[in-house]
Amino acid sequence: TKTVSKCYVQVTGMTCASCVANIERNLRREDGIHSILVALMAGKAEVRYNPAVIHPSAIAELIRELGFGATVMENCGEGDGILELVVRGMTCASCVHKIESTLMKTNGVLYCSVALATNKAHIKYDPEIIGPRDVIQVVKDLGFTTSLVKKDRSASHLDHKQEIRQWKRSFVVSLVFCIPVMGLMIYMMVMDSQLSDAHAHHNMSSEEMEALHSSMVLEYQLLPGLSVMNFLSFLLCVPVQVFGGWHFYIQAYKALKHRTANMDVLIVLATSIAFVYSFVILLVAMAEKAKANPVTFFDTPPMLFVFISLGRWLEHVAKGKTSEALARLISLQATEATIVTLGPDNVLLSEEQVDVELVQRGDVVKVIPGGKFPVDGRVIEGHSMVDESLITGEAMPVTKKPGNTVIAGSINQNGSLLILATHVGADTTLSQIVKLVEEAQTSKAPIQQFADKLSGYFVPCIVAVSVVTLFAWIIIGFVDFEIVEKYFLGYNKSISAAEVIIRFAFQASITVLCIACPCSLGLA
């Protein structure tokens, strides 16, 4: 008897089914090669060869001579099939042992573990020797009922509808309250610039200036120290902070619990501090019955939340689009297959309906007119036209006769076909496409990983910088009070120098936090 070994070769540069046929046809002629199976989407060739005659490296060389790139894959564990079963009727540990020992003795089973508590069996097998139906039969012969673990075919994990709704709501809430805040801010700016013009032209004394300033509607004080502007800003800011920022608070809390700092932490930090600081300073001003209105940061949180929730919303909409495509792809897969047993001269002996997951390599599958091909395979009997537009995009049906390959998910049109399964389960073209799209979605672009890594350092850095700012201004203030006086305009002369310094230092450090937060890195 000849010994037969198996190797996998990674093949690059294949563009279509004719490349596959070309490689298979040419390699079959070579000495020492028993069979070759090429999967186009996976870019993988499985070769069974006689090691006495030919080596894997020589096989790769043969493929290279045909004009493709080829490298021998070292880890051939990819050929292992994995089976998850639900086993009913186990009562104790001896049942578990009975199943495990019987399966391990079975030729082709590489590994098996059965859990009594969950009624589940996890089995690794070699698809060349044994298939899922054989394994299930072995368990049934022992007197247990067993079935496949049902896979979730609906692709519900790809559904972004809930996140889209959540961020949209967050964005709308923030926007509704942000527009008035921005309006107030722009109005104040315009008025301020007019005032400074008036001041420049008419050389008014600062007392007249103050009088003019406080005559503005928004600067009118409802209570001593509480201007209309600040009061309105506060009212508009509260709902945004609570409803708009709700999800950010949850994310930030989770991140901090795991001792990491992400953008959510920074956003929450900046908005909360801006809000709390503004609120406290208003209370202080009211307590002091201050003449001049304090500078507050109530405009920061609404605007920040608007930009960021808009970004998140758009991101989820985009993700939802690709996921939708994926869900459609997954829905193309057939769920059942008709397996037939052939006698001599291809006479049909029997046929049975089974789950697609139970189709094994080498099974003969019957596909009726109008039916979907459950697996990739090769036609052994029958003539038909097949609609392969799901893979090729070509609406014209393709003729299939014995020897032609068929693709899972494509639709048989007029004739009945018998096909020999070559790629089943996760190896079918359709499964490979789904896998590629899923990987493309879950893997991050290198630049994105870099940005994530940076933002890990970025948050603590910004916090550190704002703390440094705080202490730097306190030190500067106590060393040279004139500098602080020069920059801190309109403070109340009645409060002590120390308090002025601390207030100014706080203002500076908060500004650092608020400005660093919506940086382009975070938004991007």
Side-chain angles (χ1 to χ4, degrees):
T1 56
K2 290 183 194 166
T3 52
V4 175
S5 299
K6 186 169 76 171
C7 70
Y8 290 92
V9 182
Q10 184 84 46
V11 184
T12 53
M14 294 190 291
T15 52
C16 61
S18 69
C19 302
V20 173
N22 183 10
I23 294 175
E24 290 188 350
R25 194 177 58 245
N26 281 295
L27 283 190
R28 278 210 192 92
R29 296 186 193 136
E30 299 293 332
D31 288 338
I33 290 181
H34 293 282
S35 70
I36 170 161
L37 255 183
V38 182
L40 176 66
M41 287 306 299
K44 199 163 78 173
E46 180 187 309
V47 187
R48 306 186 65 187
Y49 62 99
N50 181 354
V53 182
I54 194 165
H55 283 288
S57 50
I59 296 172
E61 190 51 50
L62 289 171
I63 297 177
R64 275 200 283 282
E65 279 168 17
L66 294 172
F68 303 98
T71 47
V72 179
M73 292 162 77
E74 296 305 325
N75 51 343
C76 297
E78 305 209 348
D80 297 347
I82 291 176
L83 191 60
E84 294 266 347
L85 296 178
V86 179
V87 183
R88 301 256 170 239
M90 296 190 290
T91 50
C92 59
S94 70
C95 300
V96 171
H97 178 69
K98 191 160 91 182
I99 296 174
E100 284 184 357
S101 58
T102 313
L103 278 175
M104 287 304 285
K105 279 184 209 140
T106 311
N107 187 20
V109 176
L110 309 171
Y111 163 83
C112 162
S113 99
V114 181
L116 179 64
T118 55
N119 285 340
K120 281 201 178 136
H122 184 85
I123 299 143
K124 260 192 187 159
Y125 61 92
D126 182 350
E128 294 285 316
I129 305 170
I130 195 170
R133 285 206 311 289
D134 309 329
V135 174
I136 287 177
Q137 198 49 53
V138 170
V139 180
K140 280 194 173 141
D141 292 344
L142 291 172
F144 303 98
T145 53
T146 176
S147 60
L148 275 178
V149 174
K150 277 277 172 269
K151 284 218 184 74
D152 179 19
R153 281 213 188 83
S154 64
S156 58
H157 62 288
L158 302 170
D159 191 21
H160 291 271
K161 285 197 183 67
Q162 198 229 333
E163 283 108 328
I164 293 174
R165 267 208 312 277
Q166 149 187 328
W167 287 114
K168 186 178 177 180
R169 199 169 55 227
S170 178
F171 168 66
V172 171
V173 168
S174 309
L175 187 68
V176 166
F177 292 102
C178 169
I179 291 170
V181 171
M182 283 181 77
L184 289 175
M185 213 172 88
I186 291 165
Y187 177 73
M188 286 296 291
M189 282 176 173
V190 171
M191 292 308 276
D192 272 357
S193 68
Q194 280 182 358
L195 276 178
S196 51
D197 287 352
H199 188 50
H201 288 305
H202 301 296
N203 302 330
M204 294 190 219
S205 66
S206 52
E207 278 78 28
E208 287 174 285
M209 184 77 179
E210 282 290 318
L212 192 77
H213 214 266
S214 54
S215 68
M216 281 165 56
V217 183
L218 289 176
E219 289 290 330
Y220 173 71
Q221 297 197 333
L222 296 169
L223 296 164
L226 179 65
S227 67
V228 177
M229 166 82 182
N230 281 339
F231 183 62
L232 284 178
S233 302
F234 171 71
L235 284 187
L236 291 168
C237 190
V238 172
V240 175
Q241 198 69 22
V242 176
F243 299 112
W246 184 248
H247 304 300
F248 293 103
Y249 278 99
I250 294 171
Q251 298 301 127
Y253 171 67
K254 284 179 185 161
L256 286 174
K257 218 164 63 175
H258 293 295
R259 300 224 173 100
T260 57
N262 56 5
M263 286 315 291
D264 293 319
V265 174
L266 196 58
I267 293 161
V268 163
L269 213 90
T271 52
S272 309
I273 291 180
F275 181 73
V276 171
Y277 167 83
S278 306
F279 184 56
V280 168
I281 209 158
L282 266 190
L283 292 180
V284 170
M286 284 163 68
E288 286 181 353
K289 300 192 173 15
K291 294 279 180 293
N293 292 311
V295 178
T296 57
F297 292 107
F298 285 128
D299 51 351
T300 306
M303 288 167 77
L304 252 188
F305 282 138
V306 163
F307 290 128
I308 287 165
S309 50
L310 174 65
R312 300 268 166 110
W313 176 33
L314 292 176
E315 181 186 351
H316 281 292
V317 167
K319 273 189 190 160
K321 288 259 194 309
T322 27
S323 306
E324 218 169 278
L326 240 188
R328 285 211 191 108
L329 264 183
I330 291 175
S331 71
L332 290 172
Q333 293 172 340
T335 51
E336 289 199 320
T338 309
I339 291 181
V340 296
T341 321
L342 294 181
D345 301 333
N346 285 357
V347 183
L348 276 187
L349 295 182
S350 67
E351 53 179 74
E352 60 167 328
Q353 285 271 15
V354 297
D355 257 356
V356 159
E357 282 97 1
L358 291 178
V359 179
Q360 302 169 186
R361 182 183 283 186
D363 278 341
V364 178
V365 180
K366 176 178 156 192
V367 184
I368 54 172
K372 266 185 192 170
F373 288 95
V375 292
D376 290 6
R378 197 171 283 116
V379 179
I380 50 177
E381 193 178 284
H383 287 261
S384 182
M385 303 292 279
V386 174
D387 174 6
E388 291 188 340
S389 58
L390 90 143
I391 300 286
T392 59
E394 173 57 70
M396 285 293 285
V398 188
T399 318
K400 295 289 178 192
K401 52 185 195 296
N404 291 143
T405 50
V406 290
I407 302 168
S410 51
I411 295 163
N412 185 14
Q413 295 200 329
N414 47 16
S416 186
L417 292 176
L418 290 182
I419 63 165
L420 184 72
T422 53
H423 294 94
V424 296
D427 294 330
T428 63
T429 309
L430 196 57
S431 304
Q432 291 290 333
I433 294 178
V434 170
K435 186 168 144 236
L436 286 175
V437 178
E438 268 183 339
E439 276 172 8
Q441 267 208 316
T442 48
S443 64
K444 288 180 175 170
I447 187 84
Q448 200 178 346
Q449 282 172 334
F450 181 62
D452 283 354
K453 201 160 117 190
L454 271 187
S455 71
Y457 303 119
F458 182 76
V459 181
C461 266
I462 295 301
V463 176
V465 169
S466 71
V467 170
V468 168
T469 312
L470 178 73
F471 286 112
W473 274 112
I474 289 176
I475 293 164
I476 291 171
F478 282 115
V479 172
D480 188 351
F481 185 59
E482 267 87 63
I483 298 179
V484 173
E485 241 180 342
K486 194 167 91 190
Y487 290 112
F488 194 26
L489 304 168
Y491 72 92
N492 196 337
K493 299 285 190 292
S494 60
I495 54 181
S496 68
E499 199 173 332
V500 173
I501 293 165
I502 284 167
R503 261 197 214 184
F504 180 66
F506 254 102
Q507 205 170 316
S509 67
I510 304 277
T511 312
V512 168
L513 261 189
C514 293
I515 288 171
C517 172
C519 68
S520 50
L521 174 83
L523 290 174

